[in-house]
């Protein structure tokens, strides 16, 4: 079914409860509150990764936590379109030392929810994501926010999502029922 974005549907959206359940499950499985960086991955494109990332972040923010969503899908960034903001400057500009953290973070209409767009897309996103600068950024964002969510490209075929997964604390895999062969989902896992 077509799930919309909770930031526009509001806390009483029929889909909100499913995300609240997911949030509760994440909190139960969280061994230590310091483990607060999360990426959502999937095997192929169009399984609902970006929607899940953003809706989950919205639920955490509605609960009063300070949350940042980073669009680290440097191949096909989509979250800025959903928020109707520019991604002219963002993550890549910070990693390439062209802008400060403050300059690449935007507020959203949901209180306590901030957004960092992808920025202009580099020719090799892998090099940028596996840089020391990225590791330092994750450490700094952990300090500033209660939870940081990273959107990522599909895990099959490119190594960006694998790199991100190795650098954050929690990885969620989204699987759209019968969208891709089961073998692909297992390989992605």
């Amino acid at each position: 079914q077509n799930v919309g974005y909770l930031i526009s549907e509001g806390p009483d959206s029929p889909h909100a409860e499913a995300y609240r359940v997911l949030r509760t499950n994440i909190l139960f499985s969280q061994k230590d509150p310091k483990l607060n960086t999360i990426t959502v991955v999937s095997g192929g494109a169009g399984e609902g990764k970006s929607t899940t990332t953003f809706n989950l972040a919205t639920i955490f923010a509605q609960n009063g936590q300070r949350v940042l969503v980073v669009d680290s899908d440097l191949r096909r960034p989509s979250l800025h379109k959903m928020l109707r903001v520019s991604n002219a400057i963002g993550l890549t500009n910070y990693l390439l030392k062209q802008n400060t953290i403050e300059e690449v973070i935007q507020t959203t209409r949901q209180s306590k929810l901030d957004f960092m767009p992808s920025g202009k897309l580099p020719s090799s996103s892998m090099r940028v994501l596996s840089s020391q600068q990225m590791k330092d950024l994750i450490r700094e964002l952990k300090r500033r926010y209660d939870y940081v969510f990273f959107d990522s490209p599909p895990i099959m075929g490119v190594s960006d999502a694998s790199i991100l997964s190795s650098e954050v604390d929690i990885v969620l895999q989204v699987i759209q029922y019968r969208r891709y062969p089961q073998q692909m989902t297992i390989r992605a896992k």
Side-chain angles (χ1 to χ4, degrees):
Q1 76 180 1
N2 201 6
V3 176
Y5 293 107
L6 299 182
I7 198 162
S8 43
E9 291 183 3
D12 301 324
S13 154
H15 303 121
E17 189 53 35
Y19 287 100
R20 280 194 280 270
V21 169
L22 184 53
R23 177 185 163 275
T24 302
N25 288 340
I26 290 169
L27 293 177
F28 274 133
S29 66
Q30 197 183 7
K31 304 282 185 277
D32 177 342
K34 289 201 263 312
L35 302 177
N36 64 344
T37 54
I38 300 168
T39 190
V40 180
V41 301
S42 70
E47 288 194 85
K49 195 168 20 49
S50 301
T51 306
T52 302
T53 303
F54 206 82
N55 281 350
L56 198 51
T58 303
I59 287 289
F60 273 85
Q62 285 172 353
N63 205 57
Q65 272 120 350
R66 293 180 61 250
V67 180
L68 175 71
V69 176
V70 180
D71 195 341
S72 37
D73 180 347
L74 300 185
R75 292 171 193 267
R76 285 177 54 203
S78 61
L79 291 175
H80 68 283
K81 292 181 194 143
M82 185 270 291
L83 279 167
R84 297 189 189 88
V85 297
S86 163
N87 72 333
I89 68 159
L91 173 63
T92 55
N93 303 86
Y94 174 78
L95 296 178
L96 298 169
K97 301 186 169 137
Q98 298 162 342
N99 294 89
T100 64
I101 285 191
E102 287 71 26
E103 289 168 337
V104 297
I105 290 177
Q106 306 182 19
T107 55
T108 69
R109 62 180 184 268
Q110 169 67 53
S111 89
K112 296 196 178 286
L113 180 63
D114 290 349
F115 174 59
M116 183 188 295
S118 62
K120 282 281 174 276
L121 308 186
S123 49
S124 169
S125 53
M126 201 177 100
R127 262 205 320 275
V128 186
L129 291 177
S130 59
S131 65
Q132 185 56 46
Q133 191 80 353
M134 181 68 178
K135 294 180 179 71
D136 294 343
L137 173 64
I138 292 172
R139 196 174 309 121
E140 177 59 26
L141 295 176
K142 280 173 78 74
R143 214 175 51 74
R144 293 183 181 217
Y145 289 90
D146 297 322
Y147 288 91
V148 187
F149 289 84
F150 294 87
D151 197 14
S152 68
I155 210 158
M156 303 302 276
V158 295
S159 51
D160 301 31
S162 308
I163 292 167
L164 265 173
S165 299
S166 68
E167 291 178 357
V168 301
D169 303 315
I170 298 167
V171 180
L172 295 181
Q173 183 179 359
V174 171
I175 301 160
Q176 185 176 337
Y177 183 62
R178 288 194 171 156
R179 168 104 191 203
Y180 291 105
Q182 192 180 7
Q183 280 311 107
M184 181 169 148
T185 299
I186 293 164
R187 265 183 56 219
K189 181 170 185 267

